[in-house]
């Protein structure tokens, strides 16, 4: 598909347990809209059957393409790559486990059509006493508060993995991101604010899935995220000297 309305970047890493179901949900949502779209699959060295499933999906659809990494790049680097090869004027990505449901995609595009440069979901999570959910909630809220205080952003949930862009106005900002891991989501918000882009946050339901193994390594990824916050702040201060 050469001229779609929307490019959807699907960054994959060991998504075999839910990939087909998630793509079906996305297609059901998009089928109720006026938008033509392409699916861009980028697999970041999955160790399960994700690549075989991607090939199967793309064999039966004309609006799909895929790239397979020869070595693991990281979630942020994978998303960045997908956005930069998008054919559509609007492009976005969502975590393919759909812990934030696909039904918010049309809302993202509508806000872009109204003149925003970037639109992101603000995750609204129900409190749970499940130990795993509770621990992730605590770590997530803690990181959110650190970003708000330490980096001074006014954006409510910079780390959300559900962001959409007007690529005509945002391509240069995306191109200048450098983080390859989970901090990328926050980096693109911070650099968009620094470039005086028009940003929109939309509230959306978030539900941790317990039927799949998370690709988030809670302790090491949190430490890496905090280190990235510190390095970003340090580099920003240097650039202002």
């Amino acid at each position: 598909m050469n001229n779609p309305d929307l490019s959807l970047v699907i960054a994959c890493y060991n998504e075999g347990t839910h990939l087909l179901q998630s793509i079906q949900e996305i297609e059901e949502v998009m089928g109720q809209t006026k938008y033509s779209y392409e699916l861009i699959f980028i697999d970041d060295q999955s160790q399960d059957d994700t690549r075989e499933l991607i090939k199967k999906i793309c064999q039966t659809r004309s609006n799909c393409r895929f790239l397979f990494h020869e070595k693991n790049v990281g979630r942020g680097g994978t998303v960045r790559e997908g956005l930069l090869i998008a054919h559509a004027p609007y492009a976005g990505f969502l975590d393919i486990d759909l812990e934030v449901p696909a039904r918010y995609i049309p809302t993202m595009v509508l806000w872009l059509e109204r003149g925003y440069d970037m639109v992101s979901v603000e995750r609204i999570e129900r409190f749970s006493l499940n130990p795993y959910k509770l621990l992730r909630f605590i770590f997530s809220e803690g990181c959110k508060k650190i970003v708000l205080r330490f980096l001074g952003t006014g954006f409510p949930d910079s780390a959300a993995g559900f962001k959409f862009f007007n690529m005509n106005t945002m391509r240069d900002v995306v191109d200048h991101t450098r983080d390859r891991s989970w901090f990328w989501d926050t980096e693109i918000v911070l650099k968009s604010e620094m470039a005086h882009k028009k940003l929109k946050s939309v509230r959306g339901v978030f539900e941790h899935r317990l039927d799949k193994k998370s690709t988030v390594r809670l302790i090491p990824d949190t430490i890496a995220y905090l280190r990235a916050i510190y390095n970003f702040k340090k580099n920003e201060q240097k650039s202002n000297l």
Side-chain angles (χ1 to χ4, degrees), residues 67-115:
L67 292 173
F68 292 161
H69 286 164
E70 294 183 4
K71 62 179 181 179
N72 185 268
V73 170
R75 195 316 207 99
T78 301
V79 168
R80 174 184 179 275
E81 180 181 7
L83 292 171
L84 291 176
I85 64 171
H87 287 157
Y90 301 138
F93 71 96
L94 65 167
D95 290 338
I96 198 56
D97 56 14
L98 298 188
E99 291 184 326
V100 175
R103 64 177 179 267
Y104 296 106
I105 295 173
T107 302
M108 304 288 106
V109 181
L110 283 172
W111 283 111
L112 292 175
E113 289 180 331
R114 291 174 183 175

Side-chain angles (χ1 to χ4, degrees), residues 133-230:
K133 289 185 177 183
L134 182 59
L135 189 60
R136 282 195 64 176
F137 176 81
I138 291 170
F139 273 79
S140 176
E141 289 299 306
C143 288
K144 196 182 299 185
K145 285 180 170 55
I146 289 171
V147 168
L148 291 171
R149 280 185 68 109
F150 193 65
L151 295 178
T153 176
F155 209 74
D157 187 8
S158 65
F162 202 117
K163 290 181 171 67
F164 284 68
F165 306 89
N166 180 337
M167 294 306 294
N168 292 325
T169 61
M170 287 292 293
R171 186 171 297 274
D172 284 349
V173 182
V174 172
D175 192 31
H176 281 86
T177 55
R178 294 294 174 260
D179 189 81
R180 292 190 157 202
S181 190
W182 297 100
F183 181 70
W184 188 91
D185 298 276
T186 297
E187 182 188 12
I188 189 64
V189 169
L190 295 168
K191 290 193 172 179
S192 297
E193 289 180 330
M194 292 164 66
H196 306 292
K197 299 300 183 180
K198 191 176 181 182
L199 311 185
K200 177 71 178 178
S201 178
V202 176
R203 289 189 159 199
V205 174
F206 177 84
E207 181 68 35
H208 285 298
R209 293 184 60 163
L210 299 179
D211 60 338
K212 60 174 279 289
K213 184 178 179 181
S214 176
T215 56
V216 177
R217 303 166 303 157
L218 195 56
I219 303 299
D221 284 342
T222 300
I223 292 172
Y225 185 83
L226 294 175
R227 186 179 294 118
I229 291 173
Y230 173 78

Side-chain angles (χ1 to χ4, degrees), residues 14-166:
N14 295 341
E15 314 291 352
T17 59
H18 50 272
L19 183 60
L20 293 177
Q21 180 182 351
S22 293
I23 293 303
Q24 182 179 0
E25 183 176 329
I26 290 171
E27 290 179 329
E28 288 174 357
V29 169
M30 294 305 298
Q32 299 176 50
T33 74
K34 64 179 181 179
Y35 304 114
S36 61
Y37 66 99
E38 64 169 345
L39 299 172
I40 304 173
F41 294 91
I42 305 185
D43 182 75
D44 198 26
Q45 275 287 295
S46 290
Q47 304 302 307
D48 62 358
D49 61 343
T50 296
R51 294 192 172 192
E52 287 70 29
L53 291 174
I54 290 173
K55 290 177 182 178
K56 180 179 178 181
I57 291 168
C58 292
Q59 281 174 354
T60 57
R61 293 162 175 82
S62 61
N63 65 335
C64 292
R65 50 193 171 118
F66 61 83
L67 292 173
F68 292 161
H69 286 164
E70 294 183 4
K71 62 179 181 179
N72 185 268
V73 170
R75 195 316 207 99
T78 301
V79 168
R80 174 184 179 275
E81 180 181 7
L83 292 171
L84 291 176
I85 64 171
H87 287 157
Y90 301 138
F93 71 96
L94 65 167
D95 290 338
I96 198 56
D97 56 14
L98 298 188
E99 291 184 326
V100 175
R103 64 177 179 267
Y104 296 106
I105 295 173
T107 302
M108 304 288 106
V109 181
L110 283 172
W111 283 111
L112 292 175
E113 289 180 331
R114 291 174 183 175
Y116 285 86
D117 300 304
M118 187 191 81
V119 187
S120 178
V121 164
E122 177 189 356
R123 296 166 294 177
I124 305 301
E125 183 177 358
R126 264 184 304 184
F127 181 78
S128 172
L129 290 176
N130 176 282
Y132 176 74
K133 289 185 177 183
L134 182 59
L135 189 60
R136 282 195 64 176
F137 176 81
I138 291 170
F139 273 79
S140 176
E141 289 299 306
C143 288
K144 196 182 299 185
K145 285 180 170 55
I146 289 171
V147 168
L148 291 171
R149 280 185 68 109
F150 193 65
L151 295 178
T153 176
F155 209 74
D157 187 8
S158 65
F162 202 117
K163 290 181 171 67
F164 284 68
F165 306 89
N166 180 337

